Amino acid sequence: MTRIPAQGHLISLAKPDSSLVTTVIVIVAVLLLLFLLLRHVVRKRGGWRRFRRGVARELALTRRAFGEPLRAFRRHRRGVRALSRHLCDPRSGLLVRRLLDAAAAALGDVPGAFAYGLRTEPGWAAVQIAARGLPDPPAPWEVADGLGGQSWCLSLDDEESLPDAAPRAGARVRPLTVAVGMADDLCVHLDLAAGPRMITVEGDAATRFRLLQALAAQLDRPGSGASVTVADGVHPHYHGEPLDSVLRRLEDTPSPTTMEEAVASTITVVVCASPTRAQSRRLSALAAAGTVVCLADGPAAGHSWALRVSGRGRVTAPELDLYADSAPLVRAVAAAVRADRRRARRAPARQWPIESAVEPRTEPEQQAPETAGLPAKSELSELVEESRYPATAPARTVTGSDLLSEPATSRPLSAEASSTGGE
């Protein structure tokens, strides 16, 4: 009798597949070759330690390169917010001028010393001073650490910490300050009336054109104390008055005879493009006489402050110790101009004389006494009214804030939107 083995004790052994064995052998051989090649490369690089440091350095550079666009965008947004907060505050311009006057008063009798720049952040400010030998700062000023030996800093915790702002004797005009950009989260300001009063914007064509617009728009804001005239050739969509005509009119205008008149008078700012050598000499003579401050697009002959702008918006002036990022400035100035217009619209309208409501308009000479008490009009608003009422609106010059308006987004401005003097 034959016995049949139980089914649970049967074991099936699979034979190895030849293709699987071949694949494993090839993988092992490739890994061995890669290891030998890596070992050869590492030995040529100086060993495993140096190789690891090099790989870590390359990874860090790669991570930084891929993360730089995001960091630049965040830095740009932060700069726009900081500059917008500063420029939209109506008291910021007064604070900057008061700090510069206070630094000038603190310099006392230091020969040839003057304050020309300012860097601010909430609760702190540093004044840049040009002097051969800068003395120790008097209280409450302190030496600015990390900003060079030619700077004084001041804490602005409260209004009592502000020093006296009486300008020293011999000051011809009050400061004419503009924001230039951001540097290490600080708002950088420059006093255009402190130096030769000839400022040229050079470098990349597109970025210098935007910077020139932003500087002119700040000078055209209410309360700046400047009257801005844009000459022909500055803006492609506006044909201003020829520069020679502007120079002839300024040369025929009498200069202030006394120091009080010079300090109290409105500063005339001429914005021009690539003046010739003869025009540069005439502008330099007017600037030296204290008549005008010139902003030139492109280089100009003569003694001037040159602001060089790169394609990415970096502004440099080594002789002024100026290094800033001007890319956020255009959007911040546009926001400040819009804030000025909103404040002007919310302000109560001034009363017109009764005669203007019942008598029709006649000659400009008869209209002048009635409109003497009206708010000064922006030159762009008059340019807009000229297109609507060509028979009555006189042709005037476009100012800096108007050049920031884009044709696709610009709107007609009210008569109280902007002015070239104080409010």
Side-chain angles (χ1 to χ4, degrees):
M1 184 176 181
T2 306
R3 302 180 63 180
I4 300 175
Q7 296 294 330
H9 296 282
L10 294 178
I11 301 175
S12 176
L13 298 177
K15 295 178 63 177
D17 192 358
S18 59
S19 61
L20 178 62
V21 174
T22 304
T23 303
V24 172
I25 292 175
V26 170
I27 293 176
V28 172
V30 170
L31 291 177
L32 181 60
L33 289 176
L34 290 176
F35 174 76
L36 294 176
L37 180 62
L38 179 62
R39 183 171 177 270
H40 176 70
V41 172
V42 170
R43 291 182 64 181
K44 289 186 63 176
R45 296 283 181 175
W48 287 99
R49 181 176 299 176
R50 183 175 296 179
F51 180 76
R52 285 195 300 268
R53 288 200 297 264
V55 170
R57 182 170 59 252
E58 292 297 332
L59 290 176
L61 291 176
T62 303
R63 184 174 61 253
R64 187 179 305 170
F66 279 96
E68 180 60 27
L70 180 59
R71 287 192 296 270
F73 176 73
R74 291 177 177 175
R75 186 166 55 249
H76 177 79
R77 293 291 300 273
R78 187 167 60 249
V80 170
R81 288 193 298 267
L83 284 171
S84 299
R85 283 194 303 267
H86 180 80
L87 295 177
C88 291
D89 187 359
R91 300 168 298 177
S92 61
L94 180 61
L95 175 63
V96 171
R97 290 191 293 269
R98 179 174 177 180
L99 289 173
L100 289 174
D101 285 338
L107 288 171
D109 298 331
V110 180
F114 61 93
Y116 66 91
L118 187 69
R119 301 180 184 183
T120 61
E121 66 177 359
W124 186 83
V127 177
Q128 293 180 278
I129 301 172
R132 290 183 177 272
L134 188 62
D136 294 333
W141 297 95
E142 299 176 353
V143 177
D145 297 332
L147 295 179
Q150 297 294 113
S151 298
W152 289 352
C153 67
L154 180 67
S155 177
L156 302 176
D157 296 333
D158 51 17
E159 295 184 357
E160 296 180 356
S161 61
L162 292 176
D164 295 334
R168 63 178 178 177
R172 294 185 300 175
V173 294
R174 66 173 183 171
L176 187 64
T177 59
V178 290
V180 180
M182 297 291 297
D184 299 329
D185 296 332
L186 300 176
C187 299
V188 181
H189 304 265
L190 190 64
D191 183 8
L192 303 184
R197 306 176 66 147
M198 279 278 294
I199 298 90
T200 62
V201 184
E202 307 173 11
D204 183 76
T207 52
R208 83 186 189 196
F209 181 64
R210 289 193 293 266
L211 178 60
L212 186 74
Q213 288 182 352
L215 297 180
Q218 293 180 67
L219 296 174
D220 188 44
R221 296 184 61 198
S224 65
S227 175
V228 183
T229 300
V230 181
D232 188 18
V234 174
H235 198 276
H237 302 295
Y238 176 77
H239 301 287
E241 187 178 359
L243 183 57
D244 291 328
S245 301
V246 175
L247 292 175
R248 282 194 298 269
R249 186 177 70 250
L250 293 175
E251 289 170 348
D252 295 339
T253 303
S255 302
T257 57
T258 62
M259 189 67 63
E260 291 76 9
E261 293 180 359
V263 174
S265 61
T266 301
I267 304 175
T268 301
V269 179
V270 177
V271 184
C272 58
S274 301
T276 62
R277 186 173 296 273
Q279 292 172 346
S280 299
R281 285 197 296 267
R282 297 170 67 182
L283 285 170
S284 299
L286 291 172
T291 305
V292 302
V293 172
C294 177
L295 276 174
D297 181 21
H303 180 42
S304 63
W305 281 353
L307 305 181
R308 298 173 179 85
V309 193
S310 66
R312 302 183 63 179
R314 298 291 301 176
V315 183
T316 58
E319 64 276 7
L320 301 176
D321 193 20
L322 175 63
Y323 302 92
D325 181 16
S326 66
L329 184 62
V330 176
R331 293 183 59 187
V333 172
V337 171
R338 289 194 297 267
D340 292 339
R341 294 171 181 172
R342 288 194 297 268
R343 280 192 294 267
R345 286 193 296 265
R346 289 195 299 263
R350 300 185 182 181
Q351 296 295 329
W352 288 70
I354 299 177
E355 292 80 0
S356 63
V358 297
E359 295 183 2
R361 291 186 178 183
T362 55
E363 297 294 331
E365 291 79 4
Q366 300 176 7
Q367 184 72 15
E370 297 176 0
T371 58
L374 297 179
K377 299 176 69 175
S378 173
E379 296 179 356
L380 177 64
S381 63
E382 296 200 358
L383 183 64
V384 174
E385 292 179 4
E386 180 183 358
S387 61
R388 296 172 58 188
Y389 309 102
T392 58
R396 296 183 63 184
T397 309
V398 173
T399 56
S401 62
D402 313 320
L403 302 181
L404 287 174
S405 301
E406 298 181 1
T409 59
S410 61
R411 294 176 297 176
L413 307 180
S414 62
E416 301 174 354
S418 176
S419 65
T420 56
E423 287 184 329

